[in-house]
Amino acid sequence: MDPTTLIGPSSPLGYPAPYWFLVTFKVLGFTLHMIPMHIWYAGVLLAMLLQWRGGKVGRQLARRLMRPMPILIALGINFGIVPLLFTQVAYYKVFYPATILMAWPWVSIIVLLTLAYYGVYIYVAGLRTEGATIARWRQAVGWVTAAFFLLIGFFFSNAFSLMTRVRAWPDLWLRESIGGAPLGTALNTGDPTLWPRWLMMFSLALTTTAVFIIVDAEWFATQERPNYRAAARRAALMISTIGVIGFAITGSWYVFGTWPEELRERMFQGPLRALTGLTAISPGAPWLLILWQWRKGGTRARAVATALAQVLVLALNAISRQIVQNAELAHFLDVTAEPVRIQWSPLILFLLLFVIGLGVVAWMLGKLKALRTSESG
């Protein structure tokens, strides 16, 4: 079967905005989404490990990681709407067939995320009422919540890797269907790119969580004892080191072990060579800044510099991933060739709501700052 027959047909309405607009907000939204998403993706598991085996200071760090999680999850979910929306608009021809093939795991993300959100609230409520001696059943809820977040990440990696693996669709469809009707139970586990991409995202999430620990220690933990902030810098360095090593290993596996020769040649030629190189080495910049603060002491300015460096790391990864995604799809369709019929009213409404949304995010961050300050007092 020709796999292109499973690609969705062109919409007679065309794109509601130019492709550059759609892809810009897709990349921007994904970058903003990764900042809080990484913290709960890796941070909940880290908090549970620190609560379990971290000693007194480790448990204190675990509490400081978990208490702002409800706000961080809300931020991550709302920022995640933007890249998902523009993926559905610009890549609808491949997004919908891929998620139909794995419909049940894809829909289960809503259930898993809801349960994980409640799990975080249950755990945080225990921190506020029970303090350091949090009940065992709440700890069990915390571990289950961490597992749910990892599973959600696994399903997302399945969906977005399957979206570009068009050649595999016929086999998945024939294997996971009855009378030609897909069962929606397919997963992209046979894709060699799935596992390194999933692990690479988790490694990158560790580095973002380490940066969050640094920012929290210098900006919000001012009332904590100096030994806590020193311990937080040391923990951030250890977590960042694990993340950077993991990113290097899984990134090398992804690029040199799964990319076809044609894609590798494209990403290592001309201007893309510089982008690929910067994306590969960029996690080293926040790591060096964390190392500097561990050795010389932290300041608010150094924490801000570390955070900005991490945002650049995430932006480079989002841009590189977008270019690779388009290159993988180039054999089957040209996403830039769709007709454009600008729909001004929804376009203007989106921009207005986007600005309002940023204002709401600023308000939520203000609430987070007040919460963190009160916790330190």
Side-chain angles (χ1 to χ4, degrees):
M1 176 187 293
D2 182 1
T4 59
T5 59
L6 299 180
I7 292 177
S10 294
S11 169
L13 298 176
Y15 283 160
Y19 175 77
W20 65 263
F21 181 92
L22 301 177
V23 78
T24 296
F25 275 93
K26 180 176 180 288
V27 171
L28 174 61
F30 186 55
T31 302
L32 294 175
H33 167 64
M34 279 193 288
I35 298 170
M37 181 272 286
H38 279 180
I39 300 170
W40 40 266
Y41 186 41
V44 174
L45 179 60
L46 281 172
M48 299 312 302
L49 290 170
L50 289 168
Q51 180 70 29
W52 177 44
R53 285 289 188 267
K56 182 178 179 181
V57 176
R59 288 191 293 272
Q60 188 177 6
L61 178 56
R63 291 195 296 273
R64 294 196 66 87
L65 269 174
M66 285 299 293
R67 283 183 173 175
M69 281 296 171
I71 295 177
L72 292 170
I73 293 172
L75 288 173
I77 292 172
N78 283 279
F79 277 135
I81 293 171
V82 177
L84 186 58
L85 169 66
F86 284 99
T87 297
Q88 292 171 333
V89 172
Y91 294 83
Y92 64 95
K93 288 185 175 183
V94 289
F95 174 81
Y96 289 109
T99 51
I100 287 171
L101 287 170
M102 55 169 292
W104 287 110
W106 181 251
V107 172
S108 73
I109 290 174
I110 300 173
V111 178
L112 292 170
L113 186 57
T114 303
L115 293 175
Y117 208 170
Y118 276 110
V120 166
Y121 270 103
I122 290 169
Y123 192 91
V124 171
L127 291 177
R128 293 174 178 171
T129 59
E130 300 164 11
T133 57
I134 187 167
R136 289 186 179 275
W137 72 271
R138 292 187 191 269
Q139 294 183 41
V141 169
W143 284 107
V144 172
T145 298
F148 280 173
F149 281 135
L150 292 175
L151 186 58
I152 290 169
F154 180 68
F155 286 159
F156 264 101
S157 292
N158 265 271
F160 287 99
S161 59
L162 183 57
M163 197 174 83
T164 60
R165 197 181 174 221
V166 178
R167 285 191 179 90
W169 292 359
D171 288 339
L172 286 174
W173 172 52
L174 293 173
R175 190 172 72 241
E176 304 287 340
S177 66
I178 295 179
L183 297 173
T185 55
L187 284 174
N188 196 34
T189 52
D191 184 355
T193 71
L194 170 65
W195 303 101
R197 283 183 58 180
W198 181 44
L199 295 172
M200 186 168 59
M201 180 61 75
F202 183 77
S203 299
L204 203 57
L206 287 173
T207 67
T208 305
T209 305
V211 172
F212 176 77
I213 292 171
I214 286 290
V215 172
D216 176 68
E218 303 306 332
W219 279 85
F220 305 117
T222 54
Q223 300 301 318
E224 301 283 0
R225 293 181 179 179
N227 68 322
Y228 167 77
R229 292 199 295 279
R233 295 183 202 112
R234 183 170 61 252
L237 179 63
M238 292 176 60
I239 295 166
S240 181
T241 301
I242 294 171
V244 168
I245 293 173
F247 181 80
I249 293 173
T250 56
S252 299
W253 176 13
Y254 175 53
V255 172
F256 298 105
T258 69
W259 277 7
E261 187 65 28
E262 179 185 356
L263 176 59
R264 195 157 49 243
E265 287 180 0
R266 176 176 179 177
M267 295 302 294
F268 283 96
Q269 287 183 358
L272 292 181
R273 179 189 301 174
L275 175 63
T276 304
L278 285 173
T279 303
I281 67 173
S282 61
W287 181 85
L288 288 172
L289 288 167
I290 293 173
L291 175 64
W292 179 33
Q293 290 167 87
W294 172 66
R295 298 192 63 180
K296 301 297 184 180
T299 65
R300 287 189 168 188
R302 292 171 184 174
V304 169
T306 307
L308 292 176
Q310 186 66 18
V311 171
L312 179 61
V313 170
L314 301 182
L316 286 170
N317 274 270
I319 294 168
S320 294
R321 178 57 210 157
Q322 186 57 64
I323 293 172
V324 170
Q325 186 180 69
N326 284 0
E328 290 173 330
L329 288 172
H331 294 288
F332 307 102
L333 77 158
D334 182 0
V335 292
T336 67
E338 292 292 302
V340 177
R341 295 179 176 87
I342 298 179
Q343 300 177 24
W344 289 106
S345 54
L347 187 61
I348 293 172
L349 180 61
F350 165 76
L351 292 173
L352 287 174
L353 291 176
F354 185 75
V355 173
I356 293 171
L358 291 179
V360 173
V361 168
W363 174 81
M364 293 178 69
L365 290 176
K367 289 292 185 181
L368 177 60
K369 180 179 180 181
L371 174 65
R372 305 301 277 167
T373 302
S374 64
E375 288 171 358
S376 298

